[in-house]
Amino acid sequence: MPVTIGEVLLQRKVITPAQLKEAKGARKASERIEHCLVRLGHIDEREYLEVYSEQLSVPLVDLAKVEIDAELLRQTPSKLVHRDRVIPIDRHNGTIRVATNNPFNLYAFDELRMLMGAKIETVLATGEEISRVIKQHFGVGGHTVEAMIDESDDGGVTVVSEYDQDNADLIEQAQEATVVKLVNEILLEAVRDRASDVHIEPYENDLKIRYRIDGVLHTTNVPPEIRRFHAAIVSRIKILSNLNIAERRLPQDGGFKIRAQNRDIDLRVSIIPTAFGGAVVMRILDKQSVLISLDQLGLIDEALEGVQQLISQPYGIILVTGPTGSGKTTTLYSALNSIRNDTIKILTVEDPIEYYLDGIQQVGVKPNIGLTFASGLRSFLRHDPDVILVGEIRDLETAEVAINASLTGHLVFSTLHTNDAVTATTRLLDMGVEPFLVSSSISGVLAQRLVRKICKHCAEPYTPEAADLPSDLVLAKGQKLTRGAGCRECRNSGYRGRLGIFELLMISDELREMIVHRQSATDMYAIARKQGLKPMREDGWAKVRAGMTTIDEIVRVTKVDIAALD
């Protein structure tokens, strides 16, 4: 009596009897038991492919380590590749080697043999690896674009120029199933790649789609024919975002929500008119992202102790500064998360709400109906809060209300756009806030940037060349540093994930006196250095020496402290 694959997995102790029983009960009609086990999360695909490999005497390969014959792949009908997920790898002596994750799809192999006029030899590969190769060679949404071209050739979707079509045509095209599917594939690929932003950029003869991953833009491969469907793609995004589909002359902002990989994700959409049509940027906000602790952010040593001391105070303003996308909001959320409990009330006013926090009342600003940071903050004070988070201090009105809140016994968190910690106080003075109010309310300022972390899957030690070392980086004699060699997990970049580098300014009595007398940021910085301020670049070098990031990353986001070199 033949042994089933479920029994083989059981004999190998890959699964338990209870898991096999659960899979048999949950298996859908015509679903193979191994596929059900994967769906339930009890095994991964490679584990049952190893059994296939042994039982069928078919080699199991890693496509990341196999050189694909690109010319052979181009000669293969793309419909067959997408439909049956078969990847021709190479051709030798009239035989084509084909990768598949379904060795039982004999019809596909027969069709490929007839179309290519060659014998077929199969090897096994995981579905994830096959998808990666398809995306690499055919682009994101390649099959969908091909279907759209077929439809347009048959008199279906025909996109000529965004400016030559009436609204009814645009709406009809945007609602086509193929356009809907293409936009969904673009978004799903962005979520899979951990992108924070999606950029859709039209040019005269091209349409680029770029994903910002770990702070750096990566151009994703798309079929060249996608340029023909630019207007339909933009119209679909406008419809999702409740924007005016007829407006093609003015910038528009909106947003919508999707559900991907079993979680809700919000997207902020901005569309601007360019010479060759609407350019779209979509910011991806995963509200269910796991909050990380302050030390996981990259706060270490004196900076971590200082921040913990600041957030444990009963009142005062704590500012986090840095450019857009430097992780300020994440830092504030982590700080709130570390102090929240049933004995204090925390209120936030944000634009927009980026993450949901249990036990915290959160309000999103709506300027079109008069709900601004300042008006929301005034209402908050009547709700008896202990801690208040103001998403950003943008103007004098918001600054004054936040300062008054801190002076009346509230702990206030907020963000400000400045390059370093010391200039935060001068920025408030420039807004028109009285010096005595700034000096009496600000407890501390945390400046930060984000750098990419070395991928732990391909990290390797190396000895740097003396000529490659920045003048302000001090290393012990013979000290090795770490870098990423590049692997599948990090898209061969050597980096995966990000962490912060920080500069914490604790406002001392001497600094308060300097603020009152409107002394320059340069003078304040000199005093702060004497009092123990550790510049952001120094914090970066500490993380380079610890093997967390690389020299290139610190050089990319910081500048040399000239005063420290003198």
Side-chain angles (χ1 to χ4, degrees), residues 300-354:
I300 56 175
D301 303 332
E302 299 92 345
L304 178 59
E305 292 176 12
V307 169
Q308 289 173 334
Q309 177 186 332
L310 287 173
I311 64 179
S312 63
Q313 294 179 350
Y315 56 85
I317 294 181
I318 301 165
L319 293 175
V320 180
T321 74
T324 301
S326 60
K328 300 185 296 294
T329 304
T330 301
T331 298
L332 288 178
Y333 280 156
S334 297
L336 288 181
N337 197 44
S338 65
I339 63 173
R340 64 174 175 167
N341 59 59
D342 291 340
T343 65
I344 62 173
K345 179 160 185 169
I346 302 174
L347 294 173
T348 78
V349 56
E350 307 169 59
D351 181 22
I353 299 171
E354 294 193 17

Side-chain angles (χ1 to χ4, degrees), residues 315-318 403 406-407 436-444 512:
Y315 56 85
I317 294 181
I318 301 165
I403 286 171
S406 74
L407 294 176
F436 74 92
L437 289 175
V438 176
S439 69
S440 58
S441 60
I442 305 297
S443 300
R512 293 185 196 282

Side-chain angles (χ1 to χ4, degrees), residues 209-214 216-220 452 491 493:
I209 296 180
R210 301 199 286 172
Y211 297 150
R212 188 175 295 280
I213 302 169
D214 293 335
V216 177
L217 281 170
H218 297 265
T219 301
T220 193
R452 290 180 291 174
R491 298 166 59 102
S493 68

Side-chain angles (χ1 to χ4, degrees), residues 178-317:
T178 45
V179 176
V180 171
K181 185 179 178 185
L182 178 59
V183 172
N184 288 350
E185 287 179 8
I186 291 169
L187 294 174
L188 183 59
E189 191 63 29
V191 172
R192 283 175 181 156
D193 284 350
R194 304 176 297 107
S196 59
D197 301 85
V198 180
H199 294 240
I200 300 175
E201 303 166 340
Y203 299 93
E204 186 173 11
N205 299 308
D206 191 16
L207 180 69
K208 283 188 177 179
I209 296 180
R210 301 199 286 172
Y211 297 150
R212 188 175 295 280
I213 302 169
D214 293 335
V216 177
L217 281 170
H218 297 265
T219 301
T220 193
N221 189 20
V222 293
E225 298 87 358
I226 199 171
R227 180 66 180 92
R228 296 170 56 182
F229 306 99
H230 166 245
I233 292 169
V234 174
S235 298
R236 171 63 181 165
I237 293 169
K238 284 183 177 180
I239 289 171
L240 289 170
S241 307
N242 290 319
L243 299 179
N244 182 359
I245 199 169
E247 180 55 73
R248 296 186 288 273
R249 300 165 300 167
L250 294 174
Q252 294 189 76
D253 294 320
F256 59 96
K257 181 182 290 186
I258 63 171
R259 185 163 184 81
Q261 297 184 339
N262 294 318
R263 61 185 195 269
D264 291 330
I265 296 170
D266 275 20
L267 291 103
R268 269 191 295 173
V269 176
S270 177
I271 302 176
I272 59 172
T274 71
F276 301 108
V280 181
V281 174
M282 292 180 281
R283 167 66 58 89
I284 298 172
L285 303 172
D286 186 353
K287 295 177 184 289
Q288 295 177 351
S289 288
V290 178
L291 282 171
I292 56 179
S293 61
L294 290 170
D295 57 335
Q296 289 174 318
L297 288 173
L299 280 164
I300 56 175
D301 303 332
E302 299 92 345
L304 178 59
E305 292 176 12
V307 169
Q308 289 173 334
Q309 177 186 332
L310 287 173
I311 64 179
S312 63
Q313 294 179 350
Y315 56 85
I317 294 181

Side-chain angles (χ1 to χ4, degrees), residues 439-451:
S439 69
S440 58
S441 60
I442 305 297
S443 300
V445 183
L446 183 71
Q448 70 177 71
R449 298 288 189 280
L450 289 177
V451 293

Side-chain angles (χ1 to χ4, degrees), residues 401-451:
V401 177
I403 286 171
N404 287 331
S406 74
L407 294 176
T408 52
H410 303 89
L411 183 62
V412 179
F413 295 86
S414 192
T415 69
L416 205 60
H417 286 273
T418 63
N419 285 327
D420 53 41
V422 175
T423 52
T425 57
T426 55
R427 174 83 180 92
L428 290 172
L429 296 177
D430 290 342
M431 282 184 183
V433 182
E434 291 295 333
F436 74 92
L437 289 175
V438 176
S439 69
S440 58
S441 60
I442 305 297
S443 300
V445 183
L446 183 71
Q448 70 177 71
R449 298 288 189 280
L450 289 177
V451 293

